[in-house]
Amino acid sequence: MGDLEIANLTKQFSDGSGTAIVAVDDLSISIKDGEFLVLVGPSGCGKSTTLRCIAGLESASEGTISLNGTDITHQRSRNRDIAMVFQNYALYPHMTSRKNMGFGLKMGTDLSSDEINERIEKTAKMMGIEQLLDKKPRELSGGQQQRVALGRAIVRDPELFLMDEPLSNLDAKLRTQMRTELQNLQTDLDVTTIYVTHDQTEAMTMGDRIAVLNDGELQQIGTPLECYHLPANRFVAGFIGSPSMNFFEMIQDRDVGTLVNDEFEYSLDATTAKFIAEVTDTLTLGIRPEDIRVAASGDENVLTVEVDVVEPLGDQSFVYFKVGDQTYTASIDGEEYIREGTEINVVFPQKRVHVFDRQTGEAIKNREPPEAAQAEAVEFQDSTSFAVK
Ligand code: ATP
């Protein structure tokens, strides 16, 4: 069992001159037994502080943290049944992998040396690191050190794994490989895991659900596809997805059901126009690069744009184009031949556009979600975004 309940967690620090820094602001999240939750957000948004509060390495200023119904908010770190994996591995340099893996068990349990050794051997075998057991950290590569650090967490058989950017010191290829390994391991062990990263690709590919933080506040929690297709606000829309969503500041023309700015006019479908007419006039139109198409005859909402730069990737090309003095991005099928310095006609399909309230940033209208996103959300019954928008 590893049900974790974070309720109204707030953590303040003082900056030295007495000014309070609110690192985590009234955060509430319920994490189900066996779930892989990714905490994602930009640098300084409070991810590590949240994790450290759960681990007991920081004390909460307000709020509670409960594990399997027991309030652990003020419990000492070593008494929490939680194992943490850090970015810098944090292995003891003078100890072999075997000793590193066994240290926590030796200090924190009544297990005999034989029992500890048995657990280490079993874990090492499962992780394929038996040959590393008698080596010291300096004899290991970064990837091997991280495997040992993971082994050290696994051998403790905790209720909860906390992982703070565990793969960021590895090169890109190894990171991708370890990502898959870690996911398989987590599925096999079925231990609740909270994984911190600032990398949205890692969040999208690894999490059962992702919690997006900004300035210490929870912006959205949902399945990866929910956050991608149905962002709660402009921040999530811009943070999840790469390249980022394009945003255009618009004013609503209620009489004709369009959004306008100095450069172009975008006509909305009747349902969206009616829906939007009931809210504010100052809006942001959002469209993901991968949802922009080169126009075909008969298309509505055709926009002629000047191509600035083309980055061919093979299967697709990133086309950077100008509207007014701003640059935007389209991800266009690699088979389209597009030349820099020319004009092309592009379309933002009505079913794919997002509309946000410019003042609050809240999503007013999201794109139509594809079936895959809905199916994924059904697995996590408490996901509510599909009902809301
Ligand atoms: P990163 O991805 O860069 O590690 P993060 O999202 O993990 O960032 P935190 O390390 O949790 O962010 O920091 C959140 C905020 O709290 C930041 O503004 C940071 O400067 C501040 N902070 C963190 N620890 C302390 C501390 N011990 N004393 C004062 N301020 C702190």
Side-chain angles (χ1 to χ4, degrees):
M1 278 276 288
D3 283 310
L4 187 80
E5 187 81 32
I6 302 170
N8 309 104
L9 177 69
T10 295
K11 175 65 188 175
Q12 291 191 353
F13 293 105
S14 168
D15 72 349
S17 64
T19 312
I21 297 168
V22 184
V24 182
D25 194 358
D26 200 21
L27 180 71
S28 297
I29 303 180
S30 296
I31 302 151
K32 281 185 277 193
D33 184 34
E35 187 175 351
F36 196 125
L37 181 90
V38 178
L39 282 184
V40 67
S43 183
C45 72
K47 308 179 291 290
S48 296
T49 305
T50 303
L51 218 58
R52 291 172 64 78
C53 287
I54 300 169
L57 302 174
E58 297 285 359
S59 57
S61 308
E62 281 172 48
T64 55
I65 300 166
S66 310
L67 186 57
N68 297 326
T70 305
D71 185 345
I72 58 163
T73 321
H74 303 293
Q75 208 174 64
R76 296 180 73 167
S77 176
R78 74 160 82 122
N79 296 334
R80 302 183 187 197
D81 200 357
I82 292 174
M84 191 153 168
V85 182
F86 299 89
Q87 176 178 351
N88 61 4
Y89 322 131
L91 295 172
Y92 297 110
H94 58 288
M95 290 186 191
T96 60
S97 304
R98 186 186 298 278
K99 285 208 168 133
N100 263 294
M101 285 171 71
F103 189 70
L105 293 177
K106 192 172 158 196
M107 303 308 286
T109 68
D110 299 330
L111 294 174
S112 69
S113 322
D114 282 348
E115 286 167 321
I116 292 176
N117 226 358
E118 201 178 306
R119 275 213 207 177
I120 294 171
E121 300 272 349
K122 192 173 153 209
T123 306
K125 192 162 178 225
M126 179 179 76
M127 299 190 65
I129 55 168
E130 300 114 299
Q131 73 288 3
L132 308 180
L133 281 181
D134 297 312
K135 295 194 170 168
K136 290 187 177 165
R138 65 168 179 273
E139 299 172 89
L140 306 176
S141 69
Q144 290 171 328
Q145 288 187 50
Q146 194 51 291
R147 281 196 183 85
V148 173
L150 275 170
R152 181 177 55 183
I154 290 167
V155 85
R156 288 184 48 198
D157 190 19
E159 294 283 3
L160 187 64
F161 285 131
L162 302 178
M163 304 194 181
D164 195 353
E165 309 241 11
L167 308 184
S168 27
N169 284 0
L170 307 177
D171 67 49
K173 190 163 172 231
L174 193 54
R175 202 157 61 223
T176 312
Q177 184 193 328
M178 288 284 289
R179 227 188 253 164
T180 319
E181 265 184 44
L182 236 171
Q183 276 174 290
N184 291 341
L185 210 57
Q186 198 269 343
T187 309
D188 290 349
L189 296 168
D190 201 24
V191 175
T192 314
T193 302
I194 307 180
Y195 185 101
V196 158
T197 180
H198 63 273
D199 178 344
Q200 64 86 33
T201 311
E202 218 161 85
M204 289 290 289
T205 52
M206 294 183 83
D208 291 327
R209 286 190 304 161
I210 58 184
V212 185
L213 296 183
N214 189 32
D215 283 340
E217 290 181 22
L218 181 66
Q219 304 293 310
Q220 182 166 10
I221 180 161
T223 63
L225 292 183
E226 254 180 304
C227 295
Y228 175 85
H229 291 298
L230 304 177
N233 56 38
R234 182 178 162 155
F235 177 82
V236 177
F239 191 79
I240 300 291
S242 177
S244 289
M245 187 183 281
N246 299 291
F247 297 109
F248 300 87
E249 306 309 346
M250 314 293 285
I251 303 281
Q252 177 175 189
D253 185 340
R254 287 163 194 262
D255 296 337
V256 278
T258 57
L259 299 177
V260 288
N261 67 13
D262 288 346
E263 313 297 336
F264 69 98
E265 183 168 345
Y266 188 87
S267 67
L268 301 159
D269 63 83
T271 321
T272 307
K274 190 161 173 278
F275 184 67
I276 284 177
E278 290 161 23
V279 295
T280 175
D281 280 342
T282 49
L283 298 156
T284 303
L285 179 71
I287 179 89
R288 292 202 180 275
E290 50 276 32
D291 288 332
I292 298 178
R293 280 197 292 105
V294 172
S297 66
D299 271 334
E300 274 184 81
N301 282 318
V302 173
L303 183 62
T304 303
V305 300
E306 189 191 320
V307 177
D308 211 7
V309 175
V310 179
E311 285 178 357
L313 301 177
D315 61 331
Q316 55 180 331
S317 299
F318 292 154
V319 176
Y320 300 93
F321 63 87
K322 281 262 170 66
V323 178
D325 54 6
Q326 301 276 334
T327 302
Y328 299 90
T329 314
S331 174
I332 303 284
D333 190 325
E335 299 210 357
E336 296 269 359
Y337 181 55
I338 295 173
R339 280 179 303 135
E340 293 175 1
T342 59
E343 286 193 334
I344 57 169
N345 292 328
V346 292
V347 178
F348 305 163
Q350 282 175 341
K351 288 184 176 173
R352 301 288 177 95
V353 296
H354 300 252
V355 182
F356 304 92
D357 181 322
R358 219 195 291 178
Q359 260 73 46
T360 64
E362 272 178 44
I364 293 171
K365 180 81 184 80
N366 275 318
R367 60 154 288 170
E368 254 179 38
E371 269 178 34
Q374 307 206 38
E376 188 188 66
V378 168
E379 283 184 44
F380 291 87
Q381 295 295 337
D382 58 352
S383 290
T384 52
S385 321
F386 284 95
V388 176
K389 302 230 159 59

